[in-house]
């Protein structure tokens, strides 16, 4: 798969390059998060103003500074066009520290396996570099495409961890859960 180059925060996959976001990505953050299709299952993530995208970028950048990892901008090799974003964020789920796997892509990138390829790359990186934290994905029950991405990334359903999130019931997919 690939590994992170600590000097530049980049990952490489078969067809994709993943890199740490910069301020130059704020317009893409805004475009992807204001699209009603991309936030259909997560309406609380929808952005309506450019300043919200700037704030989201700031939060992403703060996490990179604190943790040394976060969300990556996903592009095809040799292309400047941002297809979407994929990465991990530390959080708590039912009192357990976990990494939340996030992926959101422009509709023009859907159906081509980009989200699955990026999520598998990030999952592999997380298992090597943050092996002590379980990895989860929170997915709405109606979001079949997102469920497929989670499974292709190596996560399995963990019904015992399902809970209500900002936008309704979160089905939890997980890898590396501790034995309790």
């Amino acid at each position: 798969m690939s590994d992170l180059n600590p000097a530049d925060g980049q990952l490489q996959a078969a067809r994709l390059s993943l890199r740490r976001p910069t301020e130059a990505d704020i317009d893409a953050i805004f475009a992807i998060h204001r699209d009603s299709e991309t936030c259909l299952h997560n309406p609380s993530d929808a952005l309506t103003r450019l300043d919200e995208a700037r704030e989201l970028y700031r939060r992403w950048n703060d996490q990179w500074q604190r943790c040394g990892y976060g969300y990556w901008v996903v592009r095809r090799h040799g292309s400047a066009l941002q297809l979407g974003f994929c990465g991990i964020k530390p959080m708590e789920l039912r009192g357990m520290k976990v990494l939340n796997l996030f992926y959101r892509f422009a509709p023009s990138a859907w159906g081509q396996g980009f989200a699955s390829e990026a999520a598998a790359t990030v999952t592999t990186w997380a298992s090597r570099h943050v092996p002590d934290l379980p990895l989860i994905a929170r997915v709405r029950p109606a979001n079949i495409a997102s469920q497929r991405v989670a499974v292709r990334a190596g996560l399995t359903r963990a019904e015992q961890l399902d809970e209500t999130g900002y936008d309704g019931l979160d089905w939890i997919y997980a890898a590396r859960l501790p034995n309790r």
Side-chain angles (χ1 to χ4, degrees):
M1 209 71 27
S2 139
D3 215 359
L4 180 69
N5 179 342
D8 59 15
Q10 293 199 30
L11 294 171
Q12 299 296 319
R15 299 176 296 160
L16 304 173
S17 295
L18 290 76
R19 66 164 172 75
R20 181 179 174 168
T22 68
E23 287 185 4
D25 297 307
I26 291 173
D27 287 340
I29 292 169
F30 183 51
I32 290 171
H33 285 84
R34 80 169 173 215
D35 187 299
S36 61
E37 287 183 271
T38 64
C39 294
L40 178 66
H41 297 283
N42 302 85
S44 67
D45 290 347
L47 303 180
T48 58
R49 299 182 323 275
L50 186 59
D51 63 308
E52 293 172 317
R54 286 188 194 101
E55 173 59 24
L56 184 56
Y57 164 75
R58 187 193 62 72
R59 289 195 314 265
W60 289 1
N61 193 54
D62 287 350
Q63 182 194 318
W64 269 96
Q65 290 175 351
R66 278 191 325 275
C67 301
Y69 59 81
Y71 295 160
W72 283 270
V73 176
V74 180
R75 300 171 301 157
R76 288 185 70 113
H77 290 300
S79 173
L81 178 66
Q82 301 98 331
L83 300 172
F85 310 97
C86 183
I88 50 178
K89 173 178 83 170
M91 62 171 284
E92 274 200 19
L93 177 70
R94 296 184 177 243
M96 174 177 40
K97 291 182 186 219
V98 299
L99 293 174
N100 183 67
L101 178 65
F102 169 86
Y103 36 90
R104 177 157 295 135
F105 285 74
S108 61
W110 292 358
Q112 300 173 61
F114 295 137
S116 294
E117 186 174 333
T121 299
V122 169
T123 298
T124 298
W125 183 90
S127 70
R128 290 181 188 152
H129 297 277
V130 198
D132 295 339
L133 291 180
L135 184 67
I136 65 138
R138 297 171 297 157
V139 181
R140 296 298 94 55
N143 193 344
I144 305 302
S146 185
Q147 293 170 32
R148 288 183 184 134
V149 170
V151 169
R152 288 181 184 135
L155 284 68
T156 57
R157 273 289 278 128
E159 295 95 349
Q160 73 277 14
L161 296 175
D162 290 354
E163 67 177 16
T164 302
Y166 293 117
D167 297 310
L169 180 63
D170 285 334
W171 277 8
I172 305 299
Y173 287 76
R176 304 189 322 261
L177 286 174
N179 295 328
R180 289 187 161 200

